[in-house]
Amino acid sequence: MSEAPTPAKKTNRIGLDVAPYRGSKTTLCAGCGHNAISERIIDAFFEMGVDPKHVVKFSGIGCSSKSPAYFLNPSHGFNSVHGRMPSVATGAMLANKNMLSIGVSGDGDTGAIGIGQFVHLMRRNLPLIYIIEDNGCYGLTKGQFSPTADLGSKAKNGVVNDLPPIDTCALAIQLGASFVARSFSGDKKQLLSVLKAAISHRGTSMIDVISPCVTFNDHEGSTKSYSYVKDHDEPLGEVSFVPYFEDISVDYEPGSTTAVKLHDGSQLYLRKIAPDYNPSDKVAAMRLLHETSRRNEFATGVIYIEPDKDDFIDLLNLVDQPLASLTVDQVRPPKAALDAIMESLR
Ligand SMILES: Cc1ncc(C[n+]2csc(CCOP(=O)(O)OP(=O)(O)O)c2C)c(N)n1
Ligand code: SF4
Ligand SMILES: [Mg+2]
């Protein structure tokens, strides 16, 4: 009897199968939200046909910051110091602006020790996908409250959090990030569309993904548990993404859907549930975050987008050639030029 032929592996538009988009086997707890986010990152980069060798991954310290080991194995990577990923990413992007960069941080890594670096990253609009895997606690050091833990939220041992949270989306919008979204690790479809849109966006894409910690913060009284988030998720509408390489025309009802053209020509369609919500209106975005948090809800989806804003590389007016590949002769002024400067200072 002849053997059935092995089915051909599915390949993407650059001819790769999914294997090079995967990473090492996860060492995080089974059921941790961070694992689901890694899965969506694999799907998004595979489906967008991004060459993993053109990607550089960054992280700080935490369970979340271990995640870049679990996706895009052939990519470049730098697992940095706690809260210091933004400065490392900034240096790398200045050295080679042709790379596509993705950083993974935690709510502690970003909101506590790294808040100063986060603030300056957002105001610079560095081209970087910046993901916060937000579980409201320091998972790696056994579940202490982080700065995104809600006021009144209960720890596993019954301790009540008596400090108000930092809303990283509101902070990012106020400071100048040009793509700001919130999603949930359990919402596969929304998170995948948001990640694909972020890949197409040029500028900082700040994505806060609520990502329950099953070991330390998934109990009753936590506002970052699977059941709480499922009951209080208020999607802003449907997020659909059409990449520039797919020639699909989408029928949509003008007035109820906002179509946004992204940097590479891809289209993002945001079907609104709140009919008057405009994701390019900063004040409306801040009001939405404020109002939903007052109701103890999470607004999810693309909250703010400014597709044509100059990014940090544009602002610095860098030469076209990546700095890392310039020769010594190109970067060092000749002796005669230095002598002339010295002479002018006499
Ligand atoms: C300079 C420094 N201070 C403190 C620590 C201890 N530490 C390691 S991870 C962490 C917090 C991690 O929390 P988060 O960023 O939310 O990541 P999670 O583990 O929850 O994914 C802390 C305080 C450290 N590694 N380095
Ligand atoms: S301790 Fe929490 S955050 Fe860390 S891997 Fe386990 S479930 Fe995830
Ligand atoms: Mg955390």
Side-chain angles (χ1 to χ4, degrees):
M1 209 169 68
S2 64
E3 275 184 32
T6 327
K9 279 188 185 160
K10 192 177 159 201
T11 54
N12 63 11
R13 69 191 177 95
I14 61 164
L16 295 177
D17 65 42
V18 74
Y21 294 87
R22 297 207 173 105
S24 313
K25 196 171 176 312
T26 179
T27 56
L28 303 182
C29 307
C32 175
H34 303 351
N35 287 329
I37 301 172
S38 296
E39 290 298 319
R40 296 296 81 70
I41 292 172
I42 292 168
D43 294 344
F45 279 80
F46 171 70
E47 289 176 25
M48 289 294 286
V50 177
D51 185 344
K53 296 207 176 88
H54 289 156
V55 177
V56 51
K57 313 176 282 184
F58 303 100
S59 59
I61 296 291
C63 297
S64 35
S65 292
K66 289 164 76 176
S67 298
Y70 313 137
F71 56 82
L72 299 177
N73 245 348
S75 302
H76 306 267
F78 199 117
N79 180 201
S80 74
V81 181
H82 200 18
R84 270 49 174 184
M85 177 252 280
S87 50
V88 175
T90 305
M93 285 307 284
L94 291 188
N96 192 345
K97 62 180 186 167
N98 293 344
M99 301 303 282
L100 176 61
S101 63
I102 175 166
V104 178
S105 180
D107 41 307
D109 192 68
T110 289
I113 196 167
I115 194 76
Q117 298 229 344
F118 177 74
V119 161
H120 292 283
L121 182 77
M122 295 301 125
R123 74 185 256 273
R124 287 172 168 169
N125 196 30
L126 184 82
L128 168 73
I129 302 166
Y130 187 96
I131 298 174
I132 303 177
E133 299 190 340
D134 186 355
N135 52 18
C137 71
Y138 300 162
L140 191 71
T141 54
K142 300 205 179 301
Q144 303 87 344
F145 288 124
S146 82
T148 67
D150 290 302
L151 182 67
S153 171
K154 258 194 200 153
K156 215 173 168 181
N157 59 7
V159 174
V160 175
N161 180 34
D162 49 13
L163 287 173
I166 292 176
D167 184 334
T168 50
C169 288
L171 197 56
I173 294 169
Q174 198 265 320
L175 288 165
S178 49
F179 180 110
V180 177
R182 176 162 279 137
S183 194
F184 170 41
S185 61
D187 187 341
K188 284 188 183 181
K189 192 167 170 267
Q190 184 195 61
L191 182 55
L192 182 60
S193 297
V194 167
L195 285 168
K196 286 176 168 179
I199 290 171
S200 288
H201 176 70
R202 183 88 187 166
T204 301
S205 299
M206 204 302 286
I207 311 171
D208 181 80
V209 189
I210 299 165
S211 175
C213 167
V214 286
T215 303
F216 297 110
N217 206 10
D218 196 31
H219 46 269
E220 216 183 312
S222 159
T223 56
K224 298 275 198 282
S225 65
Y226 279 108
S227 63
Y228 187 92
V229 180
K230 274 186 197 135
D231 290 347
H232 295 78
D233 181 3
E234 228 182 59
L236 279 172
E238 213 171 278
V239 182
S240 319
F241 174 79
V242 179
Y244 68 92
F245 52 84
E246 273 177 20
D247 191 17
I248 301 173
S249 64
V250 174
D251 268 343
Y252 63 90
E253 261 178 70
S256 67
T257 303
T258 307
V260 185
K261 192 163 186 184
L262 298 174
H263 178 79
D264 63 1
S266 302
Q267 293 275 1
L268 180 64
Y269 296 94
L270 304 169
R271 194 177 63 77
K272 293 175 265 180
I273 282 179
D276 54 352
Y277 187 66
N278 175 2
S280 57
D281 178 344
K282 232 179 211 196
V283 176
M286 296 300 275
R287 193 181 310 118
L288 170 95
L289 289 169
H290 186 67
E291 284 170 359
T292 42
S293 104
R294 270 212 316 214
R295 295 198 298 272
N296 299 321
E297 307 276 344
F298 304 94
T300 58
V302 177
I303 294 167
Y304 180 69
I305 182 159
E306 194 178 343
D308 302 321
K309 185 174 180 171
D310 278 352
D311 66 29
F312 193 46
I313 309 283
D314 301 324
L315 293 173
L316 292 182
N317 205 12
L318 294 185
V319 290
D320 284 339
Q321 195 179 333
L323 300 188
S325 64
L326 294 174
T327 62
V328 173
D329 289 347
Q330 285 172 301
V331 292
R332 185 185 291 163
K335 185 169 183 313
L338 290 174
D339 287 346
I341 292 170
M342 293 309 287
E343 194 56 38
S344 74
L345 296 174
R346 269 179 198 269

